[in-house]
Amino acid sequence: MNDQDIKNIYQQLLAEDSPDPRQVSFKRKSAMRTLAHIICEEEHLQADVLLNGQFYETKGDKGQVLLKKRPQYEELGRLRDRKLRYSKELGIQLSPMFGDEFD
């Protein structure tokens, strides 16, 4: 995730929101910037989870093999919840396929 990626996503959100971005309030622009950061971080975590998996193996105190969720996978879930909250607050539908799932 770099600043240019965040800027590109922010500009896209802004362009989709209003034909004249100068008419968008500072509070709304701030929420859109935060959403852009969340989207970039989600992409980064998703790539990590795809590369390294959702779980890791460890040994229990009796020597048994345990599967535990990777912290990146758990953070991805929390981040998606934040993304959903910001999207709903901004009135942005993320995907028509899942739109009614979160109402």
Side-chain angles (χ1 to χ4, degrees):
M1 165 173 79
N2 63 44
D3 289 340
Q4 189 60 43
D5 293 335
I6 294 168
K7 185 177 180 182
N8 289 342
I9 291 171
Y10 169 68
Q11 293 296 334
Q12 185 176 351
L13 287 170
L14 200 55
E16 290 175 3
D17 190 58
S18 174
D20 185 2
R22 295 174 297 182
Q23 301 299 322
V24 179
S25 71
F26 176 79
K27 182 178 171 184
R28 188 165 179 81
K29 285 180 182 179
S30 179
M32 285 182 180
R33 267 193 294 285
T34 301
L35 181 58
H37 280 273
I38 291 170
I39 291 169
C40 283
E41 184 65 19
E42 177 190 27
E43 290 172 358
H44 172 74
L45 286 171
Q46 182 64 54
D48 181 78
V49 168
L50 289 173
L51 182 65
N52 298 306
Q54 298 174 3
F55 302 93
Y56 66 96
E57 285 187 13
T58 188
K59 294 224 182 228
D61 56 353
K62 297 177 184 170
Q64 73 275 28
V65 175
L66 302 172
L67 285 178
K68 292 191 172 188
K69 289 181 185 176
R70 293 181 63 243
Q72 295 84 345
Y73 178 67
E74 291 182 341
E75 180 60 25
L76 181 60
R78 287 189 291 271
L79 199 63
R80 287 186 171 149
D81 288 341
R82 281 186 68 207
K83 178 182 172 184
L84 179 61
R85 284 193 308 272
Y86 271 86
S87 297
K88 283 185 90 167
E89 180 69 28
L90 290 165
I92 297 171
Q93 187 171 348
L94 297 175
S95 169
M97 184 184 315
F98 303 113
D100 59 347
E101 187 174 322
F102 302 109
D103 288 334

